[in-house]
Amino acid sequence: MSELSKDNVADAFGRPLRSLRLSVTDRCNLRCSYCMPEQDYVWLPREDVLTLEDMATLTGYFTDLGVDRVRLTGGEPLLRRGLSGLIRLLRQNPLIKDIALTTNGILLADYAEEFYEAGLHRITVSLDTLRPERFHQLTRRDEHERVLEGIASIARAGFTGLKLDTVAIRGFNDDELVDLIEFGKQVQAEVRFIEYMDVGGANQWSQEKVLSRAAMLAMLTVHYGTIEPLPERGAAPAQRFVLSDGTTFGIIPSTTMPFCATCDRSRVTADGMWYRCLYATTGTDLRKSLRAGASNEEMRSLIRAGWEGRRDRGAEERKALERDGLRVGGLIGIEKLRADPHLEMHARGG
Ligand code: SAM
Ligand code: SF4
Ligand code: SF4
């Protein structure tokens, strides 16, 4: 379909379909306690995982219906062999304006140049701490140095607009907010603090561990003085702020100030399950239709109908449960996660 015939759809609340998070693998080389706290996992069957060509084809149906931003994620996306081939395929789609990557950074030094050549636009690295021993405590792996090397390789490869995403957890890294912003200045990155969410395997989540947007701003104001908010950018989840020296940073208040009202995101797992919300427990099996030989128009109709029926606002619903005192800890227990690995954050891509 050409730009002229692009068919923009809207969901039941009038929200457009604009952004797609493509999880290219559910495997990971870290075990972050807020995402993969267990010893063992049920993985998506290898034979179900889509080829990179199929992923590009599926993405094409989404772009025909309004998507113009794609984020590659996982699990750890750099564990997927041939990822730069997927970036090249996506670059051939003229409807995609922005291709971004979220990675834990461990393998980045090996691939940054290749990704730049392939046409990747932007990189976000997840970095929760600057302290190696704390990194080990969080991730159960000794890879902090490689993450820092990965971050250093990004600018060398030619990328600009680096973002560092930090999950802010009370009692874990709440004493590092300033250090992370200062580190961001050194590596020309904008730091974004994400509120800890109860999603998938976050079964160590509790309300007490959530460092709220308000608490973060209060802590940062003590150190930096006046902090000014920057104007909102459409459906972007991060609220951005500027310090008096011009440094900018973001807060993604997913838990205390959900942004469901403007949410334009879809998620496709590595085996082609499509979820209309990070918290959705049911999705649409696009792989099945693709492998059954559905025509392009049938695939587009399936996605159009799915989006038009979308009423998801998962984070707002969770917040309402809290307000009414109907919630204590994590909402989805380990048994349910084992029965359906698609519910895991590392399958769904964050
Ligand atoms: N492995 C890659 C990485 O860590 O960047 C990409 C996938 S990871 C699931 C995507 C993002 O989700 C990461 O920034 C991670 O910190 C975030 N995330 C995972 N679990 C989370 C949770 N319980 N609350 C908030 N953010 C979470
Ligand atoms: Fe950590 Fe990302 Fe792996 Fe989850 S998928 S364990 S957040 S590195
Ligand atoms: Fe979008 Fe669901 Fe997140 Fe709300 S909870 S912002 S609807 S993905």
Side-chain angles (χ1 to χ4, degrees), residues 21 28 32 34-35 72-77 102-105 124-126 128 165-167 194-199 202 205 254 345-346 348-350:
R21 293 177 81 94
C28 192
C32 305
Y34 51 69
C35 178
L72 304 175
T73 175
E76 174 45 37
T102 299
T103 171
N104 62 29
T124 299
V125 179
S126 301
D128 300 318
D165 278 5
T166 301
V167 182
I194 309 173
E195 286 179 356
Y196 189 10
M197 294 182 276
D198 168 25
V199 57
W205 184 93
S254 344
M345 185 73 149
H346 66 266
R348 209 162 270 211

Side-chain angles (χ1 to χ4, degrees), residues 24 50 131 175 190 251 259 299 349:
V24 296
L50 297 177
R131 305 185 192 177
D175 53 353
E190 181 168 297
I251 296 181
F259 30 85
M299 291 301 296

Side-chain angles (χ1 to χ4, degrees), residues 112-113 115-116 120-123 153-161:
E113 239 169 77
F115 292 164
Y116 187 77
L120 182 69
H121 294 111
R122 295 184 298 124
I123 298 182
S153 73
I154 296 171
R156 276 204 306 275
F159 288 102
T160 54

